[in-house]
Amino acid sequence: ETLDISTSAAIGITMTEAQYDNFVTGTITADAGNDTITIADGAITDITTNSNIGTYVIGEDSDANNVTVTVAATDDVNITSTSANDVVTAQVAGTYTGTIDTNNGGNANVLSLTATADIKGATIDANFDNLTLATGGNTYTMTHAQYASFGAITATGVNTVALTTASTGLTADTA
């Protein structure tokens, strides 16, 4: 399937996850940065971002209340979850400077960093309680405030977290 929403004007389009998935396996052409795709309420499981889309708005998952959003290394997209119930797992690779915002303060959202992710320029919602460093032997870059906002940090193997801002009273998690 092909989705072409490339115009000079900002486009907002709403579709189901199944409809979106058909375009992901095909081609999406858009004006990177100013177009928005809203994934409508329904059975939402996995969303893989596309660098040609600037913003994703994810509706309420009616199935298991677990949504995974995979952000590729070159995708600087903004992600907003409108659900008050879903647990959102955002998998981020590469240098990411977008915004991830959830609407659910009571759930155990997970920010999962893969490869050598650098999130120091990103805005990560305080509702992300958990940080997962997915692979061993890598360096992950973030600010002290970002690091300190996570309640639980889990890691595979030996990793390095490089903090780009000064920190006092830092408590390291040896997970």
Side-chain angles (χ1 to χ4, degrees):
E1 301 283 333
T2 300
L3 174 64
D4 186 348
I5 55 174
S6 58
T7 67
S8 59
I11 299 290
I13 188 168
T14 300
M15 63 185 74
T16 65
E17 180 190 357
Q19 290 170 320
Y20 177 74
D21 288 347
N22 287 331
F23 296 120
V24 170
T25 59
T27 304
I28 297 177
T29 305
D31 298 322
N34 73 343
D35 294 319
T36 299
I37 288 184
T38 299
I39 306 298
D41 293 355
I44 304 169
T45 306
D46 298 300
I47 305 295
T48 300
T49 63
N50 181 288
S51 62
N52 290 319
I53 303 300
T55 301
Y56 285 84
V57 177
I58 302 169
E60 179 75 46
D61 175 34
S62 62
D63 198 12
N65 285 334
N66 292 307
V67 176
T68 299
V69 180
T70 302
V71 181
T74 59
D75 296 355
D76 250 346
V77 300
N78 298 314
I79 301 163
T80 300
S81 171
T82 61
S83 170
N85 300 311
D86 293 345
V87 174
V88 177
T89 299
Q91 298 176 335
V92 176
T95 299
Y96 179 71
T97 60
T99 297
I100 302 175
D101 186 23
T102 62
N103 190 34
N104 56 358
N107 294 332
N109 296 309
V110 178
L111 179 64
S112 177
L113 302 181
T114 60
T116 54
D118 178 345
I119 62 167
K120 69 180 176 287
T123 302
I124 308 296
D125 189 317
N127 290 330
F128 277 88
D129 305 318
N130 303 300
L131 174 65
T132 299
L133 305 177
T135 55
N138 289 308
T139 298
Y140 301 95
T141 306
M142 65 189 70
T143 67
H144 175 257
Q146 288 169 326
Y147 179 83
S149 71
F150 298 109
I153 299 173
T154 57
T156 302
V158 176
N159 294 281
T160 301
V161 175
L163 302 179
T164 61
T165 55
S167 61
T168 57
L170 176 66
T171 302
D173 186 336
T174 58

